[in-house]
Amino acid sequence: MTHRYLKSLLTDPPSPLIPVTWIAIHIRRGDFLTFFKIDTSLEYLTSSMNHYRRKYINVRFLIASDDKPYAKKTLGDQTDVFITPDGFFSGDDLAAVALCDHTVVTAGSYGWWAAWLAGGDVIHDLNYPVGFQNCLHEHYFPPWFVFPQNSSSQTNP
């Protein structure tokens, strides 16, 4: 089976199933909490999710993260949210989110590539890259990223 075929089964399933718009969410925390001292806020994630809920019908979110306990604790109780299994490794997570239609990303190259592979609209936290990375925003953000609202990352104390 090809990537395109699997993606078509998720987004336009055979009758009597209802078509679904799958939104990937990649939440990177790990070394970003300790090295960059930055954590993407729940408000950013929630507002991004609400943007897609308003824009599309029958939306489902698939979350991949290096901190699945955090994802489960903060977003796992929502009925339209699915979190990749604990047994998934980073490659499994990447394959799963690449099947989605659109993406919400926090930071890092993994989320960027997940968004590129999935295609569609990409919402990215504008607080990345951080200042000391010496990376220009126009080099970091491709023109196919969308920014429906300001980001709201928080700097850790």
Side-chain angles (χ1 to χ4, degrees):
M1 282 192 216
T2 66
H3 172 87
R4 191 175 307 251
Y5 176 69
L6 287 171
K7 195 168 186 170
S8 74
L9 289 177
L10 287 172
T11 58
D12 194 19
S15 238
L17 299 174
I18 300 169
V20 173
T21 300
W22 285 94
I23 311 297
I25 299 177
H26 179 259
I27 303 172
R28 181 171 177 181
R29 297 187 84 222
D31 62 331
F32 273 66
L33 292 173
T34 56
F35 183 71
F36 291 119
K37 308 288 188 226
I38 291 180
D39 187 15
T40 297
S41 72
L42 183 57
E43 291 80 15
Y44 162 74
L45 295 169
T46 302
S47 66
S48 298
M49 293 168 73
N50 288 336
H51 167 79
Y52 283 123
R53 286 178 179 124
R54 287 187 302 272
K55 188 170 181 175
Y56 300 104
I57 56 171
N58 206 26
V59 172
R60 300 292 181 271
F61 298 94
L62 179 63
I63 298 176
S65 178
D66 63 349
D67 190 349
K68 291 182 188 194
Y70 169 81
K72 290 174 188 174
K73 178 182 165 195
T74 57
L75 299 167
D77 62 344
Q78 298 180 44
T79 58
D80 58 355
V81 169
F82 302 87
I83 300 168
T84 58
D86 291 334
F88 271 31
F89 294 100
S90 56
D92 301 318
D93 278 345
L94 185 59
V97 297
L99 292 171
C100 293
D101 299 298
H102 309 284
T103 313
V104 174
V105 248
T106 55
S109 58
Y110 182 94
W112 194 100
W113 280 107
W116 186 82
L117 289 168
D121 293 340
V122 179
I123 298 175
H124 196 295
D125 193 336
L126 286 173
N127 284 327
Y128 298 101
V130 295
F132 69 83
Q133 287 179 292
N134 295 321
C135 181
L136 299 174
H137 276 253
E138 48 277 2
H139 294 165
Y140 189 81
F141 298 119
W144 41 273
F145 280 22
V146 295
F147 305 99
Q149 75 282 323
N150 266 340
S151 59
S152 57
S153 290
Q154 306 166 3
T155 303
N156 285 338

